[in-house]
Amino acid sequence: MDVSPFPYQGPLEPSEVSGRDGLITDLVTRITRRKVTALLGPRRYGKTSVLRRVASELTEIETVWVDLYEVSSLADVAVRFDTALAGARGRLAELARRYSLEVSLNLGGLKVSLAGPARNRPDPALSFALLLEVLVRTATSTPTLLIVDEFSSVSKVAGAAGAMRTAFQHHYRDFGLVFAGSQPSMMRSLFTHQPQPFYGQADLVDIGPLDAAAVDDIVGRGFAGTERRAGRLGQLIFDYSGGHPQRSMQLADCCWENTPPGGFGHDAWADGLAQMRRLCADPMERMFSDHTASERQTLRALAVSGSIFGLEADLLDLAKSTAQGARTTLIDSGDLVADDAGKLRVTDPALADWIRERFPL
Ligand SMILES: Nc1ncnc2c1ncn2[C@@H]1O[C@H](COP(=O)(O)OP(=O)(O)O)[C@@H](O)[C@H]1O
Ligand SMILES: [Mg+2]
């Protein structure tokens, strides 16, 4: 059995990342020049994949990778940093362990002690501050890149960003520092709103969709490498996905599954798309029904007629002010994105497609 050349679950291996050369070079340069950077983009646009690749290209630098996905308390944040530091390698790991011992911190053991009996439980804020101190001391002693992925989640934990800012602020030139996050508006506001601890502390870099040539290349190589030919499939996939990386890969996989060795990918288009729609039906229905009524109407208007004020909006009796309010919420959550020309669209092409199928004109 062939393994599919189109993985679409979770981040890619560094060697699997393509179509992002400009962004990768830009990030490598920024890190080398010690420019604090925040990488912004919707979920599944390939932020983690690109950063993995960047880390692998910076061979002289050890990476500490903190994943703050859905953190819910300061203890939780501290544990993520503890896990990240304990998972580091090489000289960085050695130094981190040494410096931890000096402040009586059991690196990698924070989760256990925070879950222990209440009377022995360390203060999470204190543990976090100590950990950050160890991290900064380590990172300033050996070439280090600190990646804080899903940083937007810190907005839910009082004091977390402030503690990080306090620890990092005098060391921006001492180690590489990149933040990444999936809620673009929240990420933006963490770095551009005055009261935020990281206000003005990072350059913002957007990750966009893949371009048509990149999708065509990825699809073409995936098929060619498994004794199939893509033919016009790359273009068909791009037309559907608008370059959304994960959906492009998922649809490519569905088409690939329906292409026999020696066959042409574009001949499998109808079957591949049908398979994609079957796979997405339930998740899309759930995703759609999780929105409020006015958000659902706005998504519908946009997906079906390309505008939140168009024909479909009239049909749905969607008032202009309601649509404008919902639009703001949906942009903030990353459910809508503007393309280069400023035209708004539903971020997830599978959701847009599901809406159009479910509510035809
Ligand atoms: N450069 C790329 N080329 C092809 N597919 C990609 C690329 N980057 C991301 N993807 C697809 O998107 C999926 C999610 O990538 P990931 O890095 O986890 O996104 P994010 O961190 O933005 O949520 C991957 O499993 C892969 O299918
Ligand atoms: Mg990610």
Side-chain angles (χ1 to χ4, degrees):
M1 271 293 272
D2 282 346
V3 175
S4 165
F6 303 111
Y8 61 89
Q9 287 150 330
L12 300 175
E13 293 300 320
S15 62
E16 293 172 331
V17 177
S18 61
R20 294 293 196 194
D21 293 353
L23 180 60
I24 292 166
T25 309
D26 179 42
L27 289 169
V28 165
T29 309
R30 287 168 177 286
I31 292 161
T32 314
R33 299 206 173 130
R34 301 282 186 261
K35 296 235 162 74
V36 181
T37 303
L39 181 61
L40 279 58
R43 312 172 47 220
R44 303 181 180 151
Y45 257 46
K47 298 177 297 300
T48 301
S49 301
V50 155
L51 288 173
R52 278 185 167 189
R53 170 63 173 269
V54 164
S56 81
E57 294 207 351
L58 291 161
T59 46
E60 309 289 296
I61 303 182
E62 295 284 355
T63 303
V64 177
W65 191 294
V66 184
D67 184 353
L68 295 182
Y69 181 69
E70 294 286 321
V71 281
S72 62
S73 67
L74 207 53
D76 200 3
V77 176
V79 167
R80 303 293 174 93
F81 272 83
D82 183 52
T83 309
L85 208 49
R89 284 191 299 229
R91 175 148 175 79
L92 198 154
E94 201 181 293
L95 289 174
R97 220 161 293 131
R98 186 190 309 163
Y99 298 151
S100 304
L101 282 176
E102 286 180 25
V103 293
S104 306
L105 208 66
N106 171 20
L107 206 58
L110 191 61
K111 188 167 187 175
V112 174
S113 42
L114 282 171
R119 61 197 150 74
N120 297 337
R121 217 175 286 163
D123 172 25
L126 206 64
S127 304
F128 187 37
L130 267 183
L131 256 173
L132 287 170
E133 202 182 296
V134 168
L135 170 61
V136 167
R137 196 174 163 203
T138 309
T140 51
S141 311
T142 185
T144 301
L145 166 61
L146 173 62
I147 293 176
V148 186
D149 203 356
E150 297 297 348
F151 178 66
S152 32
S153 301
V154 294
S155 61
K156 285 176 270 174
V157 181
M164 288 164 66
R165 156 82 200 262
T166 305
F168 300 158
Q169 62 182 344
H170 300 300
H171 300 284
Y172 291 144
R173 303 199 56 80
D174 297 333
F175 53 89
L177 180 54
V178 178
F179 298 93
S182 289
Q183 291 155 296
S185 294
M186 175 53 74
M187 273 297 277
R188 211 173 287 282
S189 86
L190 284 167
F191 295 98
T192 56
H193 282 180
Q194 188 92 61
Q196 295 291 346
F198 280 98
Y199 167 72
Q201 307 283 301
D203 295 336
L204 307 188
V205 172
D206 286 293
I207 184 170
L210 295 167
D211 62 27
V215 172
D216 198 44
D217 176 62
I218 290 163
V219 174
R221 277 187 298 112
F223 274 74
T226 49
E227 285 155 28
R228 292 159 173 86
R229 278 169 290 178
R232 288 176 287 104
L233 184 64
Q235 190 54 51
L236 294 170
I237 289 177
F238 182 80
D239 291 344
Y240 169 97
S241 72
H244 184 294
Q246 191 265 348
R247 292 302 184 199
S248 301
M249 292 288 266
Q250 188 176 13
L251 183 51
D253 180 66
C254 289
C255 295
W256 182 86
E257 292 258 349
N258 286 281
T259 310
F264 271 108
H266 60 232
D267 291 338
W269 170 248
D271 291 338
L273 182 60
Q275 182 172 325
M276 175 84 173
R277 284 177 171 158
R278 277 196 303 278
L279 278 175
C280 290
D282 286 348
M284 291 308 114
E285 180 156 9
R286 246 175 287 128
M287 197 188 279
F288 188 68
S289 60
D290 279 348
H291 288 288
T292 64
S294 48
E295 287 166 16
R296 290 200 297 271
Q297 289 179 324
T298 305
L299 286 165
R300 248 180 92 169
L302 193 61
V304 174
S305 68
S307 162
I308 63 169
F309 304 125
L311 260 185
E312 184 75 4
D314 288 343
L315 182 81
L316 297 172
D317 233 354
L318 177 60
K320 213 167 175 174
S321 58
T322 312
Q324 277 162 338
R327 176 176 63 183
T328 307
T329 315
L330 290 166
I331 292 174
D332 285 353
S333 57
D335 290 296
L336 300 183
V337 276
D339 64 17
D340 285 344
K343 193 168 158 25
L344 214 55
R345 64 171 166 183
V346 178
T347 310
D348 187 340
L351 180 61
D353 181 63
W354 179 84
I355 292 172
R356 282 190 294 268
E357 291 287 299
R358 183 77 180 71
F359 307 103
L361 267 178

